[in-house]
Amino acid sequence: QVQLVESGGGLVQAGGSLRLSCAASGRTFSPYAMGWFRQAPGKHRDFVAAISWGGDSTSYADSVKGRFTISRDAAKNTVYLQMNSLKPEDTAVYSCGARVRSWGDYNYWGQGTQVTVSS
């Protein structure tokens, strides 16, 4: 019943910016938290950022702190990832996930959107 759809990926030069969006289906969608993850070719999926659905708590991977900002619009069932000062090592498929509980794994995943940083 729950579907997550990412958008906003693309090609950008180092130092540029992108904003990713993740729209969830359902007017009553209300997870405990949502997060962004990324996976480069041949690598495992890494945590990037997460936010409680109430918006009172955020968490970031050390590699993106100070450059990325996660936010959400509960009324629109949408979570965002503002990415600034992008580096080539940020290149990956970015996926959003939703977790129902405050513990355990994420329960729902989007299909991902490609982010490529050149130069």
Side-chain angles (χ1 to χ4, degrees), residues 26-72:
R27 297 192 304 272
T28 61
F29 181 72
S30 184
Y32 173 78
M34 294 188 66
W36 287 97
F37 298 76
R38 65 188 183 186
Q39 185 172 20
K43 305 293 184 179
H44 61 278
R45 177 180 287 163
D46 291 328
F47 167 79
V48 176
I51 185 169
S52 62
W53 201 239
D56 59 337
S57 180
T58 59
S59 182
Y60 297 92
D62 289 341
S63 59
V64 306
K65 288 178 64 176
R67 300 187 298 120
F68 291 10
T69 303
I70 188 170
S71 61
R72 95 284 182 268

Side-chain angles (χ1 to χ4, degrees), residues 9 15 20 35 43 52 54 57 59-60 62 70 73 86 93 97 105 111 115 119:
L20 306 183
K43 305 293 184 179
S52 62
S57 180
S59 182
Y60 297 92
D62 289 341
I70 188 170
D73 187 335
L86 283 162
V93 174
D105 295 331
Q111 293 185 337
V115 172
S119 179

Side-chain angles (χ1 to χ4, degrees), residues 91-119:
T91 296
V93 174
Y94 284 70
S95 301
C96 69
R99 67 176 5 173
V100 175
R101 299 178 179 271
S102 61
W103 50 266
D105 295 331
Y106 282 73
N107 308 101
Y108 304 98
W109 294 93
Q111 293 185 337
T113 184
Q114 177 70 47
V115 172
T116 302
V117 185
S118 64
S119 179

